[in-house]
Amino acid sequence: MISGPLANRGFTLLEILIALAVFAIMAAMAYAGLTAVLDTRQATETRSGSLSQLQQLLYLLNEDLSQAVQRPVRDELGTEQPAFSGGNGEELLTFTRSLPDWLDSPNRSHLQRVSYRHENGAIYRQVWNILDRTQQTQSRRRKILDSDSVELRFYGKEWSNNWPAVGGVIPKAVEVKLGQAGLGEVRRLFLVYP
């Protein structure tokens, strides 16, 4: 049996309680820091996804509009549609575009019909590979961007909120203004090369 000053070398109840209190404070601070990091990460991922969708939309609009051609089409009912139209309610843009030369296929048209629509807070892109359609003609449709608001303006000889203008020509430029939560307002001007 050990007696004397070495026998009392354990921790007192007060020392253990102080150590537990310090540990609890440090754990609470670490948890608050971890929560802040996780919240920031979630917000960054959401914003990054929105920016990625926005970049994709702007890229597709630039590619499509720079290849716009003066080619009217017939819809599923045989009614002639203008080569370029837009600003008509949910229909943002509908036009005919040429395809790149590297898609050289003897059985495939080098023209394509493209439509952009704003429905239920989202922008969709729809593509038809057959210009003059029948009721059996199929298209591909894809959601590109969640957007609160979309406004378009078209420039021919002056700015207009809808197209076609007199004569059914293709506009010289299209201005797109998007409102998106978290990103604010984005405005972009696209030149059209008919």
Side-chain angles (χ1 to χ4, degrees):
M1 203 90 219
I2 301 175
S3 62
L6 294 176
N8 295 331
R9 288 204 98 208
F11 291 108
T12 64
L13 181 58
L14 182 59
E15 292 172 331
I16 291 174
L17 289 176
I18 291 173
L20 285 174
V22 169
F23 178 75
I25 291 170
M26 290 176 59
M29 290 172 49
Y31 178 76
L34 179 62
T35 302
V37 167
L38 292 176
D39 289 346
T40 302
R41 179 180 177 205
Q42 179 65 33
T44 302
E45 285 178 357
T46 302
R47 190 176 193 124
S48 176
S50 296
L51 280 172
S52 176
Q53 289 179 346
L54 178 63
Q55 286 176 332
Q56 182 180 24
L57 173 67
L58 296 177
Y59 172 79
L60 288 171
L61 279 170
N62 186 55
E63 287 296 307
D64 288 340
L65 289 171
S66 67
Q67 301 295 323
V69 295
Q70 183 68 33
R71 165 60 159 88
V73 300
R74 295 200 177 273
D75 67 9
E76 292 83 357
L77 302 175
T79 307
E80 186 168 313
Q81 300 294 317
F84 195 106
S85 66
N88 304 317
E90 290 182 342
E91 177 197 338
L92 299 174
L93 291 168
T94 302
F95 56 95
T96 305
R97 66 158 286 177
S98 63
L99 294 173
D101 292 336
W102 53 267
L103 291 175
D104 194 24
S105 175
N107 298 332
R108 189 170 185 180
S109 171
H110 289 282
L111 298 176
Q112 189 177 64
R113 192 71 169 175
V114 178
S115 174
Y116 288 88
R117 296 183 63 82
H118 185 245
E119 299 173 359
N120 302 321
I123 297 176
Y124 295 86
R125 180 176 184 258
Q126 191 167 1
V127 176
W128 294 268
N129 288 327
I130 298 173
L131 296 183
D132 296 318
R133 302 186 296 268
T134 65
Q135 292 187 4
Q136 289 77 29
T137 302
Q138 297 194 4
S139 64
R140 292 174 303 180
R141 179 179 155 123
R142 182 172 62 134
K143 178 180 170 184
I144 299 177
L145 176 70
D146 291 318
S147 179
D148 299 332
S149 65
V150 181
E151 294 178 29
L152 276 82
R153 291 193 321 153
F154 306 91
Y155 182 76
K157 293 182 179 178
E158 59 186 38
W159 287 101
S160 172
N161 290 331
N162 54 29
W163 201 266
V166 178
V169 296
I170 295 175
K172 296 176 182 174
V174 176
E175 181 186 55
V176 178
K177 185 169 70 170
L178 301 166
Q180 194 170 13
L183 296 178
E185 183 180 287
V186 176
R187 186 182 300 242
R188 193 66 167 292
L189 181 67
F190 298 95
L191 298 177
V192 183
Y193 304 102

